[in-house]
Amino acid sequence: MVDLKFDHYYPYEELTEALKQMASEHPTLAKLTSAGKSVKGLDLWVMEITDSTTGPPDSKPAVWVDGNTH
């Protein structure tokens, strides 16, 4: 299980690993995709969180949360 800390800055590699682990551990709740590439060629991660067993995400209310940007 991913143990994220709120008093720690996650460099790209650590954040990528944590997101991949969350998606792997919770496949019916989390889906990780890349929205594209940064100017440095790094993936811009998007984590979709929804209970996929209750229907497609497009049929549910949504909220956008943006983090780890500077």
Side-chain angles (χ1 to χ4, degrees):
M1 180 172 186
V2 178
D3 184 23
L4 296 177
K5 306 285 187 214
F6 291 98
D7 61 349
H8 172 69
Y9 176 80
Y10 287 86
Y12 181 81
E13 295 78 17
E14 269 186 88
L15 179 62
T16 297
E17 184 58 35
L19 291 170
K20 287 180 177 181
Q21 187 177 347
M22 282 188 274
S24 174
E25 290 176 359
H26 306 284
T28 62
L29 298 176
K31 178 182 173 185
L32 183 64
T33 57
S34 175
K37 299 283 186 181
S38 73
V39 294
K40 293 184 177 183
L42 302 174
D43 284 300
L44 301 171
W45 296 118
V46 174
M47 177 73 78
E48 181 180 281
I49 300 173
T50 187
D51 185 352
S52 61
T53 65
T54 63
D58 301 12
S59 67
K60 303 172 189 178
V63 63
W64 178 274
V65 179
D66 195 330
N68 208 44
T69 57
H70 50 281

